[in-house]
Amino acid sequence: MNPGMKLLLVMLIALEISFTQSLIVNCILIAVSFVYILTQHIRMKALLGIIFWPLFPAVGLFVSQWLYGSAGIHFAWILFTRIYAYVFLGATFTLTSSITDLSLTLEQDFHLPSKFAYGVLAAFNLMPKIVEEVQIIKTSALMRGEALHFWSPKLYFKSILSAIQWSQNLAEAMTSHGFVEDYERTHYKIIRITALDWTLFFVLLIIVQVLLFFIRY
Amino acid sequence: MDNKNQATTGKKQSQWTLRNIILIALIAIFTGIIFWGAGFLYTALTVALTPFGMAPFANDLLMGLWCMAGPLTGFIIRTFGSAFLGEFLGASVEVFLGGQWGAGAFISGLVQGIASELGFTLTAYKRYDWFGLNASIFTTVVVTFAWDMIRNGYDKFSLPLLLGLFVTRYISTFIFAGVLTKMIVKLLDRSKAINL
């Protein structure tokens, strides 16, 4: 499915289950997403991660709602499954779509100005370098006997200085490669929203509506 | 450093240049990665508080940290939408790093983005001072709290617990999105790296 449509669908459904309270629909969404993820050849580690990590917030919310909530254990279960539904729905997108395809389709099909699509894409592609840079900033501070934590303004200050410098370099690099802001572009890789995408989008969305309408438990 | 912010020199020009978009995205990713390092704190707090049924406090204690990218980018690139974009992208980083929230983080990012943007909108993008920052903190706390009433079932809690959570969230947001942001902006201002 087209990554943009997929993201939109996932977000719409996630938004809907935030406002509705149906334990069974949550479970169905989790099950369907899980089966979909299994068919996509995902690494075992990623799969275990999305099962294990949400357990903390889910159990936390469950217990507090159970002990202090006025709506009883059924509502506690809804919140528990809601967290898993978010994560599994999200995973159907994040584990299967590339950020590059997403920004390409956002630009070509959703008419996002190209400077946003490519600017943000360029920044996201630097993510591994940014992880490294944060480490470098922390280490070089340690060499001066200064420990920087997430509450230290200096850590953010130095990060922003790097961000300023990198943004300048990236923008110049893009311009020198022929990128012109606010100008019509031709595309090497063309991503279209096909009839199949539209059909899938609406069929799935309607199914969720029907389920939410009829299954109230 | 010769990285003078070119966009702010021509006041009439749109601030949405390629360079500023990349800058917002980079700042969002940097802050996203820094709190990613503090992610264990959330899990540890949740584990510690769960037996008492107080796990939502872990969420509210760290809320300020998650809502920092918005005010920060809003303050550095002074135009409509920059706080929203920064906050939203900051939350997206977490999705791609494989956060605990999945699609929930995208939606939280949208809500938090609108929340922190709203503060700057209320001051008509004119007050870039302690007052403007506090407006953004206020809208952030109120909007995100309203959202948690729905999403995390806070509306089913009794009033004292609700008040406790609200105050905790306010303090957290005040410290991280307020005091810390102000200190960072001050450092930036003094360094003359960017024309604020």
Side-chain angles (χ1 to χ4, degrees):
Chain A
M1 196 173 175
N2 176 289
M5 296 286 272
K6 199 192 257 180
L7 181 61
L8 191 64
L9 181 65
V10 161
M11 284 184 64
L12 280 175
I13 298 175
L15 202 61
E16 260 196 291
I17 59 166
S18 309
F19 287 95
T20 50
Q21 297 172 7
S22 170
L23 184 58
I24 295 174
V25 174
N26 284 355
C27 292
I28 293 173
L29 287 172
I30 294 169
V32 172
S33 309
F34 188 67
V35 170
Y36 177 77
I37 294 165
L38 283 183
T39 61
Q40 300 291 314
H41 308 289
I42 301 302
R43 279 177 304 122
M44 206 55 199
K45 204 180 152 213
L47 193 63
L48 288 177
I50 61 166
I51 296 173
F52 177 70
W53 290 109
L55 204 59
F56 297 102
V59 172
L61 268 181
F62 177 84
V63 174
S64 66
Q65 202 57 241
W66 184 32
L67 293 180
Y68 301 107
S70 59
I73 195 149
H74 178 249
F75 187 66
W77 278 118
I78 289 177
L79 289 183
F80 184 90
T81 50
R82 193 180 274 173
I83 296 226
Y84 271 96
Y86 286 142
V87 172
F88 279 77
L89 278 170
T92 61
F93 170 75
T94 49
L95 295 182
T96 61
S97 313
S98 83
I99 209 169
T100 310
D101 285 342
L102 177 66
S103 55
L104 289 182
T105 184
L106 285 180
E107 189 223 349
Q108 295 175 25
D109 307 313
F110 292 81
H111 303 290
L112 183 75
S114 58
K115 56 185 177 182
F116 283 94
Y118 290 100
V120 172
L121 179 64
F124 267 86
N125 281 335
L126 280 182
M127 215 140 90
K129 283 219 66 125
I130 296 175
V131 176
E132 223 171 81
E133 181 75 7
V134 171
Q135 209 46 55
I136 290 171
I137 293 171
K138 282 185 175 168
T139 311
S140 56
L142 267 183
M143 290 201 282
R144 275 174 280 112
E146 201 179 354
L148 293 180
H149 303 281
F150 65 88
W151 60 80
S152 321
K154 248 191 203 165
L155 178 57
Y156 294 92
F157 169 64
K158 290 189 171 166
S159 301
I160 292 170
L161 288 188
S162 302
I164 292 170
Q165 197 171 8
W166 291 7
S167 66
Q168 183 79 39
N169 291 349
L170 260 180
E172 272 168 21
M174 283 168 75
T175 310
S176 67
H177 276 260
F179 183 92
V180 185
E181 288 176 43
D182 306 316
Y183 209 78
E184 192 69 35
R185 292 179 61 80
T186 53
H187 301 101
Y188 171 68
K189 184 175 178 181
I190 292 171
I191 296 189
R192 287 274 162 266
I193 300 177
T194 59
L196 182 68
D197 288 331
W198 282 109
T199 321
L200 262 176
F201 180 84
F202 281 109
V203 167
L204 290 172
L205 198 61
I206 290 167
I207 291 175
V208 173
Q209 305 313 309
V210 172
L211 288 175
L212 282 171
F213 189 78
F214 286 107
I215 305 175
R216 298 287 177 144
Y217 181 73
Chain B
M1 203 181 277
D2 59 293
N3 288 314
K4 286 270 185 275
N5 189 346
Q6 299 159 329
T8 42
T9 49
K11 275 278 182 255
K12 285 274 171 275
Q13 238 175 319
S14 165
Q15 292 262 42
W16 288 113
T17 56
L18 178 65
R19 177 189 173 279
N20 279 353
I21 293 165
I22 297 175
L23 180 57
I24 290 173
L26 283 177
I27 292 173
I29 298 169
F30 264 111
T31 45
I33 283 169
I34 294 171
F35 338 133
W36 181 247
F40 72 93
L41 203 67
Y42 172 75
T43 304
L45 271 171
T46 307
V47 169
L49 291 167
T50 295
F52 311 103
M54 291 295 170
F57 275 100
N59 184 40
D60 286 69
L61 269 171
L62 294 179
M63 185 48 84
L65 202 57
W66 291 324
C67 291
M68 242 181 85
L72 205 54
T73 49
F75 239 82
I76 293 172
I77 313 290
R78 300 181 170 182
T79 189
F80 170 75
S82 66
F84 171 79
L85 187 65
E87 186 61 46
F88 177 69
L89 291 177
S92 315
V93 172
E94 194 154 327
V95 178
F96 287 101
L97 285 173
Q100 297 174 327
W101 304 102
F106 272 131
I107 296 181
S108 304
L110 274 181
V111 173
Q112 290 162 7
I114 293 168
S116 59
E117 182 71 38
L118 209 58
F120 292 108
T121 315
L122 283 180
T123 56
Y125 302 94
K126 291 211 170 73
R127 297 290 299 264
Y128 286 95
D129 50 15
W130 189 228
F131 178 81
L133 198 54
N134 268 292
S136 177
I137 292 166
F138 176 75
T139 54
T140 301
V141 175
V142 171
V143 174
T144 59
F145 200 78
W147 172 241
D148 272 333
M149 299 267 280
I150 301 163
R151 192 189 99 145
N152 285 337
Y154 280 18
D155 57 338
K156 304 289 191 295
F157 288 139
S158 63
L159 196 62
L161 183 55
L162 210 56
L163 276 176
L165 286 168
F166 187 84
V167 170
T168 309
R169 180 173 303 211
Y170 210 106
I171 294 171
S172 160
T173 311
F174 183 78
I175 291 173
F176 288 109
V179 178
L180 193 54
T181 303
K182 193 178 155 64
M183 286 162 90
I184 296 164
V185 170
K186 210 171 177 179
L187 281 174
L188 280 170
D189 205 21
R190 265 203 321 213
S191 74
K192 305 267 185 293
I194 194 160
N195 294 331
L196 287 172

